[in-house]
Structure formats: structure tokens, C-alpha cells
Amino acid sequence: MSIYDTLNEQQKQGVFTTDGPVLILAGAGSGKTRVLTHRTAYLIEEKGVNPYHIMAITFTNKAAGEMRERIDNLVGYGSESIWVSTFHSTCVRILRRHIDRIGFDTNFTIYDADDSKTVMKDICKRLNIDTKMYKEKSLLAAISSAKDELISPEEFALRAVNAGDYAKRKQSEVYREYQETLRKNNALDFDDLIVKTVELFETDPEVLDYYQERFRYIMVDEYQDTNTAQFKLISLLARKYKNLCVVGDDDQSIYKFRGANIYNILNFEKYFPEAVTIRLEQNYRSTKNILNAANGVIANNIGRKEKTLWTDNPEGEKIDFEQFDTAYEEADYVARDILSGTKSGRYHYGDYAVLYRTNAQSRLFEERFITSNIPYKIVGGVNFYARKEIKDLLAYLKTIDNGRDDLAVRRIINVPKRGIGATTLLKVADWASVCGISFYDALKQAEEVPNLGKASLKIRPFVNFIQTMRSKAPIIGVSELLREIIEETGYVRELEAEGTDEAMARIENIDELISKVVAYEESEEQPTLSGFLEEVALVADIDGLEEGSDYVVLMTLHSAKGLEFPKVFLAGMEDGLFPSYMSIVADNPTEAIEEERRLAYVGITRAREELAITCARTRMVRGETQYNKVSRFVKEIPSELLSAEIRQKEPKESSFAKRTVTKPKRTSLRDQPSGQNMQSQIFTGAAMKKTALDYGVGDRVSHVKFGTGTVKAVMDGGRDYEVTVDFDTAGTKKMFAGFAKLKKI
């Protein structure tokens, strides 16, 4: 039996159509990865294509890793020659070899969002930009959008002048200065990785021809998420042989805010008139009812490719639709349902996902889960690499790797404290600017900086240390280098001396960074400091979601893309929340709401076995009670698929016009499982009765979730006491006594 016999007819067509441009419209759960991997095997085994000439591009490291693993298992010998990578990783590899052809050194630094923010702050100071009027974040967003569309600083400035738009002209000034700063620092931001590769290909035919010959067969996953720059990159690579296979689903295009251009997939046949279009419409993930609900919703979009998903799976349960008076009741229902499902043995905690439109919606679920001892994890919290101690140590590594990275140098010059004052640093920076050299090169010549005097003596030990580490780096390896930095700087010793739980947590993070470095070294044939820093820079947030762990996942709908769960809760399904108020009142509401509807479609199709949709008539927003109608997306689901009717009784007030500070009416938490009692005040907004505390500052206390700790402060907050506790393992927490239910031990 052939490996291709397990495929359905449409999947086979996707596998066997290898020459020329191919568009595979792959509906949710239709086995697109299966098609891509089998297509790769077919090219090698049946068509005799050298694996070296095959390229597969994905968006996340996780997706690339999974595809690599599946291709290796299917193809076996020779699969290591296939180029499986993300867009950004691909561009990094190309630029490391050839970026010197467009004026950069090949040891360039990759700036993350925080690095870019620091650069922008400096630029705004330099150009006397009023940051109250021109927010740094919005300036960076404008630059990023321009790069997504391959608009250079020069073209941006020209458009601003032609439009007579003062704000755009100011943005163009900043954009030009920002790019000059990056070039001076021999640095690229994430957007530049794509832009500079396109620039390289367009200006150097020799390099382009090399990669066109290398990548004769190109496959792109999640094509609906590509932006204009990524489309251009792929178009250039595929121009010679035209063997381009793109796989995607226009109904799951939900990243417009990140620059995704849905017209890349909608107009594929226009760009490639000879293209063959194949539709994968059989779903292997969800029940018939879930799928029919998704079809019912997405059919209301006009800007889409016609397709209807179907499945051989059972009909399954109806969609559990629940309307509540308050958002508190909604959170309570979700918690009780999870507890009931796990207690009965039908589900584990890890089988559940709670999806919502905005991050702010997580609070009520978190509070309710804590009081119910439900283990949970929020996807999209503070990234490991964004923690202070990690950024500090990475800045050391960056400085050792590339001294031209001013941001990294300035971050660590006083970590640990070396007594180098701000005035001294300003003098060095000014002199570096006058001389046209990097900040670090100026530090190396500190004795020559005018009016620096004895301050240069404080700089010398830092420079000597970096130089010593540089000489050692090629010899001792990255992990040993990191250990020496930690030892020589006394970074961990300072934290140990501090002795707080927070300090201990920071030490654990550092230990984890060391583990990361060692894992990198073990996985690479030729590990390098540059290679490690690249790997760190390219890690995506979603890649941090662990598999196989038993906890409920809380996440936004955007974060849920590409994932699936046995049971899914779609919470907050109200007009004004989902679709968002901003989309309803947008300049082009039709387009905006279609994007929101695609997001709803993504949410519905995450569910394998059961889907629950919840909404509330009242929800607290900015301290005020907001009255909302049931989401139009719920009303688009055929009524026979829902477990309950949509009650038509709506508040007299409009969805957005009525605002009041009236608290929602208290409701009882009926059917609460024994042992999971909760103070209803938390969820009703009713005033808590303040009672005298049986513990004080210095006492040891226990908490149901955070464990044991020491009381550090008690403040009278009027209606309740605010208590600060240093927990042994969870760190320092502030909480209201009525909510915390601390017990003296």
C-alpha cells in the first residue's frame, strides 16, 4: 500500500500537481500539513527532485519544527537537505552570507521590539519630537506598516509631501533617522530582515539567480497571513521556475493588524494566471454541528473564495449557548462546567480552552479559576526573553558578539553598578556621534574623550572585560561564556545577597537561560554566539505553549490560530466586544467586520468535540456597566444547532450609548461544587464586609493558590484591607483580605 492511498481525492490532487503555480485552499482541519509533507515526499521519490532544491516556508518556529519532523519521518534519507524554515529565519540565513553586498556587515544584530523602542526614544529626544503628540509606539507602527508594504523612507517622505500631511512628514523624518541609526549600529529590526532580503534580490541578480536555482520547488504554508514584502520575496524566488505551491485559507486571514494582506491569496490567480486551484473541504477535526455552525457564520462574508467544509465525523452535541445577566455569572458558569467535566472523568483540564476577543477579559476567569483551584495558563504573558535579568545577560552576549550595537552596550555598562554617571555616558555618546563611530568604540578610546577626566578610569575595566570575553568566545563556547559573564559580573551573587523570593525567581530564570544555551549547543553541529542570538531573536510567543500539560488554556482568539482542543468556550460573544466596537464604527465597517467574522470562524473551528458560546447582558468596562446585545455572529449560526434560543429581550438602551456606574444585581452561585466555596462579592460587585484580621506584619500565612508566605504590609483601604505578602514560591503579591482568605500559620 502506497503512502498516498491514505489521502482523499482533493489531497491527492494537491500532492500530485507539482509543476507550475498551485493554490491549495485548505479549510480548517482539512489536513494541509499532511498534503505538504506528502507532496515533498512525492517530489523526491516519484519526480526525482533533489531535496536540495525544495523549500518549505512557515510562519512560526513551532510550525517549522513540526513540518521538519514530519518530513523527516516520511522521506527519511536526504530530507536534511530540504530547506524548512520561517520567513525570518530564511532571510537571516541569506543575509548572513550576502548582506555585505548592500552595505552591512554580516555580523549584524537583530533588534527586538524593546530595542526598537529604545532607539525611538533616543530619536524623539534628538529631533525634539513631542511624544505627547507623536507617541513612540505609533511612530514605530507607522514605520513597520511602511516596511510591510516595501515603502522606503524616501518614498514615505515623498508621499507625505504630496499629501500635504504634516503628521506624515514628521513620521517620515523619524523613519529616515530610525533607519540611519540601525545602519550605524549594524542592526536590523524584524521587518528589515524581509525588506533587506528583497532589496538584495532586486539589486544583485547574481545572488537572486543563486537562490532561484537553489529553490526550484517552493511551498508556503499559511499563505493568507503573508504581507506585501513576503509576497514580493516569494515572487522573486519563484520567478524562474514558477513551481510555487501556496497553502492557506482566506477564511482564516485574521492578522491584518500585523500587516497581512488577504488579497495575496484572493488574487493569486490574477498574479499567476496559469495557476491550478485545489480546494480541501473535508474536515477531520470537528463534529458536524460545529462545522455547520462555522459554515453558517463565514458564509456571510463577501470577500472570500467559495468553499463549504464537510465531515464524516459524528453529528455531536449541539452548540451550548448560554446567556447571562453579568460577566461574573459567565465566568462562574465556565468554571463550574470545567470542574464538572473533570470530576466526571470526561475531560482533563488540558482539554479545555477559553477564548476571548481581548486580553482584558481574562481577569474574571483568572479570579474564578484561582478560587476553584483550576490550573490555568495564559498564553501571551510576559515573554521569557523580555525579563530584566535575561535581557541584561543577552545584552552582554550581544556586546561581545557585535560591539556596534549601542543599545546592548548602554544597557549593561552599569550592570552591575560601576559608578559611571549619566553625564559621562552623554559625553561619550556625543563624541561617538561627532567621530562617526559606535558607542563601544568610543568607550575603548575613553581617554581621548574631551572633558571626561578621571571618569575614563571607571570605563576601562568594563572595556577590558568585554575584550577578554571576545577573545575567549571562539574557544570556550556559548554556555561557558555565559557562565563566565555571570561569575565575573557577580550577577547571581548580588541576587543571592538580596535574598528575596523575587531574587530567587530571577536566579531560576538565569538557570533556565543557561539550559537554553546548552540545548542550543547540543542541537547544532557548529554552535556560535551569533547563531544562538539569532535563535533567541526569532522565537515566537506562541512557541512557548507547552504540550501535554494539564491546565486550562486562556487566550485571545488571535493566539488560538492553528491550535485545537476537545472543548472550547467562546466567551464574551456580544456586539461591541466581538465584533469589536472599533470595527462597527470603522471607516470601512464591512471590511472590518469581515475580518472579525473570520476571527469568529477561527474560534469555532478550534473545537473538536464540544463548543460552548457564552455572553453577558452587562459587562463592566472602565468601571462602568455596559449593556450589550448578543453578537451578530451568534445570530448567524443556524438556530437548530444551538442548545438554547437567543432571547430577544434586549435592554432598551443601545449597545454603546448607555453607561452607568450601577453594579450588576447580585446573583447566587448555584450548584457550586463542595469544597470550592467562593465569596460571591468578588463577582457581584457588592460591598465586602470588613472584618478584623487575625494576622499582622511579620506573620506567616497560607493562601489556597500561592502557598505560604510572610506578611510585609497591611493597609486600610476603606472597604477592605490591602495586604502585601511575600510568598515562598510565588513572589510578592498585593491582594484584598476579603478576597485572599489568608490563614495564619
Side-chain angles (χ1 to χ4, degrees), residues 131-287:
T131 51
K132 289 180 181 176
M133 188 179 292
Y134 301 98
K135 299 286 185 189
E136 290 149 5
K137 272 189 177 178
S138 64
L139 289 169
L140 283 168
I143 292 170
S144 182
S145 296
K147 289 181 180 181
D148 286 347
E149 296 298 318
L150 290 175
I151 299 168
S152 66
E154 294 74 26
E155 189 181 342
F156 194 99
L158 193 63
R159 291 187 182 190
V161 170
N162 291 339
D165 188 326
Y166 182 78
K168 290 283 184 194
R169 287 174 68 176
K170 192 61 73 174
Q171 287 173 358
S172 73
E173 261 183 79
V174 172
Y175 184 10
R176 186 187 66 247
E177 191 72 19
Y178 176 79
Q179 289 305 111
E180 284 178 5
T181 302
L182 261 61
R183 181 177 282 273
K184 182 171 72 72
N185 290 351
N186 195 40
L188 305 180
D189 64 17
F190 263 50
D191 296 317
D192 280 332
L193 296 176
I194 312 289
V195 171
K196 292 300 174 186
T197 308
V198 170
E199 183 186 328
L200 174 68
F201 286 166
E202 288 186 323
T203 57
D204 198 315
E206 186 185 351
V207 174
L208 175 60
D209 186 68
Y210 171 82
Y211 286 103
Q212 286 175 335
E213 284 296 328
R214 170 79 195 266
F215 306 130
R216 298 183 186 185
Y217 290 85
I218 300 170
M219 291 174 285
V220 184
D221 195 11
E222 303 288 3
Y223 187 68
Q224 76 281 347
D225 295 334
T226 54
N227 59 35
T228 301
Q230 288 161 337
F231 168 75
K232 184 69 176 178
L233 178 74
I234 294 300
S235 300
L236 286 165
L237 283 171
R239 184 187 289 169
K240 191 169 188 175
Y241 289 97
K242 294 187 171 57
N243 297 323
L244 172 63
C245 174
V246 302
V247 183
D249 183 3
D250 52 301
D251 290 334
Q252 295 187 69
S253 179
I254 59 173
Y255 294 125
K256 187 181 178 183
F257 68 98
R258 288 186 193 167
N261 184 352
I262 194 173
Y263 294 103
N264 287 347
I265 192 166
L266 291 180
N267 295 338
F268 187 82
E269 292 103 328
K270 181 181 167 185
Y271 300 129
F272 301 95
E274 65 275 39
V276 175
T277 300
I278 300 160
R279 287 172 168 80
L280 305 184
E281 295 175 303
Q282 184 175 357
N283 174 285
Y284 294 91
R285 176 187 298 157
S286 307
T287 64

Side-chain angles (χ1 to χ4, degrees), residues 466-480:
I466 297 297
Q467 293 301 108
T468 303
M469 292 295 106
R470 276 190 177 175
S471 63
K472 287 185 177 183
I475 305 162
I476 64 176
V478 189
S479 58
E480 193 55 39

